[in-house]
């Protein structure tokens, strides 16, 4: 395969067929090879900032920030349900002291935990004393854990120095618009300089503060992820411009999330019947934005007290009552974390080496001066979407009937890249119920529309037949194999059997780039 040498952010090699840097596409031999070493060190084990890392590492959010300085039409912090995964939802609001004790307990029992974040239930920077006290104590007692915060950005510019002083080098800003007329439809009010401000003026202030905060963080070397909630008919046509602007200002990652709005949540949008986007609409918008910057496609829209791997919530195992009964040795726990995480990295490195040795694998990006001479790009190869059922560790290791989500990958001759995720209702809830949940199975098949195959550890006769009838090939032959290797193998089998499309679709090509 020819290499095209192009202008790039890091001046690397574009070793793809269609224009996206090979190292930026999820399953290439080293998905972080294009990044400067200082940035690689910040993201290699961060499950939110690194797509590959989310298979291996856990995160935790602590709910120490109850107050908020803005109101969003999609938010209601009074709602709580143990089965609800949604920003702003918590079961317990903690003091900084309680939060630190809980973090140490979780990190001792889940040694793959690499990240601690504060994301609510209000806004961390509307509660700066509580937020910074928590970070200060954790940086002293668990210095190996990365610290993150998520904010609406209203108070951000005035707190950039404090953020940097507390070794917080990952910040997420929720930016839903750049147009104050659109912002007035999303935010009914803000609390600014001791006054409640409404309407378009409120949106103007919020947008200005968000942009100032983004620029200041980037100037200080903090990695910034931008979250945007896709609200059909409100900001969906505007978010590609948001993506373009925040990339130009140095944001590291853009996460376009679907609006979650149900009447039972008690939000304005939920009560007014504002719909969320379909999976196809969300994926199309993510593809449109991907032309401007790296997109996050593995977000789970976590609770503000989430614990565990992405897609998993073990917060019920670590209530204050349970944590009080735990005996924790912080030093021994940190040593165990370091050993476990070193083993994880050894497995990841071995998997990369194995993949690099496979025929057709793409070499990692090389460091070259910008603007080298361009060679002709090779023609695009057919690309398909495939779904995977996984419990984590980067393996095809979940029964189809046990899946509550499927990871959707764009796969071609060069490998696979995560395109999106689809949440589903679990089809099989036990031996007596397996196969009876008609609605759940029908919903899963709808969620997998457009996929040519679904890879899982096992699958029953009934869903096998239904999937085949829908044009989706079930595959249980690659159980417990690494996801990317399994997808590549299935792709080659399809190619050998002549079951690939003759030409890649424009949508499929956008997902690759």
């Amino acid at each position: 395969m020819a290499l095209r040498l192009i202008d790039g952010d890091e001046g690397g090699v574009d070793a793809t067929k269609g224009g996206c840097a090979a190292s930026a596409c999820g399953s290439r031999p080293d998905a972080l090879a294009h990044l400067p070493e200082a940035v690689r060190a910040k993201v290699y084990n961060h499950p939110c900032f690194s797509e590959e890392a989310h298979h291996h590492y856990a995160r935790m959010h602590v709910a120490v920030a109850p107050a908020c300085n803005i109101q969003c039409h999609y938010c209601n912090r009074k709602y709580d349900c143990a089965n609800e995964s949604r920003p702003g939802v918590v079961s317990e609001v903690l003091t900084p002291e309680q939060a630190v004790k809980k973090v140490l307990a979780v990190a001792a029992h889940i040694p793959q935990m690499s990240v601690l974040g504060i994301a609510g239930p209000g806004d961390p920077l509307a509660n700066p004393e509580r937020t910074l006290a928590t970070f200060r104590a954790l940086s002293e007692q668990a210095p190996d854990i990365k610290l993150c915060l998520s904010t609406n950005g209203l108070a951000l510019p005035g707190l950039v120095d404090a953020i940097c002083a507390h070794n917080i080098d990952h910040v997420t800003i929720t930016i839903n618009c750049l147009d104050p007329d659109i912002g007035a439809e999303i935010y009914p009010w803000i609390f600014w300089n001791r006054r409640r401000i409404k309407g378009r003026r409120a949106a103007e202030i919020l947008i200005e503060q968000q942009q100032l905060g983004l620029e200041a963080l980037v100037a200080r070397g903090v990695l910034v992820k931008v979250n945007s909630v896709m609200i059909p008919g409100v900001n969906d046509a505007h978010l590609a411009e948001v993506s373009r602007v925040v990339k130009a200002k140095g944001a590291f990652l853009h996460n376009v999330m679907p609006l979650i709005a149900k009447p039972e949540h008690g939000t304005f949008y939920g009560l007014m019947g504002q719909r969320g986007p379909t999976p196809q609409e969300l994926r199309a918008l993510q593809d449109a934005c991907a032309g401007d910057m790296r997109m996050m496609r593995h977000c789970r829209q976590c609770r503000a007290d989430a614990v565990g791997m992405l897609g998993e919530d073990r917060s019920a195992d670590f209530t204050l009552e349970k944590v009080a009964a735990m005996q924790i040795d912080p030093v021994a726990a940190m040593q165990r974390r370091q050993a476990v995480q070193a083993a994880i990295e050894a497995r990841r490195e071995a998997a990369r080496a194995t993949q690099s040795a496979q025929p057709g694998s793409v070499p990692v990006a090389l460091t070259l001066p910008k603007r080298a001479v361009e060679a002709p790009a090779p023609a695009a190869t057919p690309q398909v979407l495939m779904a995977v059922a996984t419990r984590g560790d980067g393996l095809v290791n979940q029964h189809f009937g046990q899946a509550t989500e499927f990871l959707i990958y764009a796969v071609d001759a060069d490998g696979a890249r995560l395109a999106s995720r689809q949440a589903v209702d679990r089809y099989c809830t036990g031996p007596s119920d397996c196969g009876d949940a008609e609605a759940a199975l029908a919903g899963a098949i709808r969620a997998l529309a457009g996929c040519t195959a679904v890879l899982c550890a096992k699958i029953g006769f009934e869903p096998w037949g239904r999937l085949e009838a829908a044009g989706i090939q079930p595959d249980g032959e690659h159980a417990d194999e690494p996801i990317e290797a399994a997808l590549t193998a299935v792709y080659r089998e399809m190619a050998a059997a002549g079951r690939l499309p003759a030409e890649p679709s424009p949508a499929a090509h956008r997902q690759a780039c």
Side-chain angles (χ1 to χ4, degrees), residues 137-175:
L138 286 171
S139 64
E140 296 171 355
Q141 298 184 48
D144 59 314
I145 295 176
K146 288 180 168 61
L147 303 178
C148 307
L149 68 82
S150 296
T151 177
N152 59 48
L154 181 60
L156 178 56
L159 289 166
V160 168
D161 288 344
I163 289 170
C164 295
H166 287 77
N167 299 317
I168 303 163
D169 52 14
H170 301 79
V171 173
T172 295
I173 311 173
T174 298
I175 301 177

Side-chain angles (χ1 to χ4, degrees), residues 143-397:
D144 59 314
I145 295 176
K146 288 180 168 61
L147 303 178
C148 307
L149 68 82
S150 296
T151 177
N152 59 48
L154 181 60
L156 178 56
L159 289 166
V160 168
D161 288 344
I163 289 170
C164 295
H166 287 77
N167 299 317
I168 303 163
D169 52 14
H170 301 79
V171 173
T172 295
I173 311 173
T174 298
I175 301 177
N176 292 317
C177 62
L178 302 172
D179 182 337
D181 290 324
I182 294 175
E185 297 184 51
I186 301 172
Y187 310 107
W189 56 261
I190 66 171
F191 193 75
W192 173 249
N193 288 341
R194 302 178 184 270
R195 292 191 302 123
R196 191 182 300 269
I197 302 173
K198 300 180 180 180
R200 191 179 192 278
R201 179 57 183 153
E204 285 179 339
I205 295 170
L206 176 60
I207 292 166
E208 180 182 28
Q209 292 298 106
Q210 290 171 338
Q211 297 303 307
L212 290 172
L214 168 60
E215 294 164 3
L217 288 172
V218 170
R220 298 288 293 273
V222 177
L223 290 186
V224 179
K225 175 167 67 74
V226 170
N227 281 355
S228 299
V229 179
M230 179 184 179
I231 311 165
V234 178
N235 71 343
D236 50 340
H238 177 59
L239 286 179
E241 173 67 6
V242 172
S243 192
R244 184 190 66 79
V245 170
V246 299
K247 177 194 177 182
K249 292 188 176 182
F252 177 78
L253 194 65
H254 192 193
N255 175 26
V256 178
M257 309 179 296
L259 171 71
I260 301 174
K262 298 179 180 179
E264 59 266 30
H265 296 161
T267 66
F268 176 85
Y269 279 147
L271 295 173
M272 296 302 292
Q274 169 66 51
R275 74 174 182 90
T278 67
Q280 293 76 19
E281 288 171 334
L282 177 64
R283 193 181 302 157
L285 178 57
Q286 290 173 332
D287 294 342
C289 294
D292 284 314
M293 73 181 302
R294 187 177 296 106
M295 300 298 295
M296 178 180 182
R297 298 177 186 257
H298 59 281
C299 177
R300 302 313 200 269
Q301 292 180 273
C302 302
R303 294 166 58 103
D305 59 2
V307 173
M309 306 287 285
L310 293 189
E312 164 192 70
D313 187 6
R314 293 184 55 187
S315 56
D317 297 336
F318 297 95
T319 62
L320 289 178
E321 182 179 359
K322 292 178 180 179
V323 167
M326 298 177 182
Q327 298 297 318
I328 305 299
D329 181 340
V331 175
M334 184 167 66
Q335 291 172 344
R336 182 176 177 231
R337 281 195 303 278
Q338 293 171 337
V340 168
Q341 294 181 23
I344 290 173
E345 288 309 303
R347 291 198 300 271
R348 291 174 73 184
E349 184 60 34
R352 282 192 288 268
T354 299
Q355 187 176 347
S356 295
Q358 292 178 348
S361 64
V362 179
V364 298
L366 307 175
T367 301
L368 293 176
K370 291 188 177 184
R371 202 59 200 167
V373 179
E374 242 186 59
T381 55
Q383 184 183 84
V384 296
L385 298 179
M386 297 186 191
V388 176
T390 177
R391 290 183 287 104
D393 292 328
L395 303 175
V396 181
N397 58 3

Side-chain angles (χ1 to χ4, degrees), residues 25-29 351-352 354-362 381-382 384-388 394 396 409-418 452-453 455 475 478 481-497 499-500:
C25 295
S27 69
R28 300 335 193 214
R352 282 192 288 268
T354 299
Q355 187 176 347
S356 295
Q358 292 178 348
S361 64
V362 179
T381 55
V384 296
L385 298 179
M386 297 186 191
V388 176
V396 181
Y409 283 81
V411 190
D412 58 27
D414 292 331
R417 183 187 62 75
L418 184 65
T452 60
L455 282 63
D475 189 302
H478 297 275
E481 293 182 11
I483 289 173
E484 291 83 0
L487 291 167
T488 301
V490 172
Y491 184 90
R492 290 175 181 156
E493 292 165 7
M494 293 174 63
R499 292 188 286 116
L500 292 176

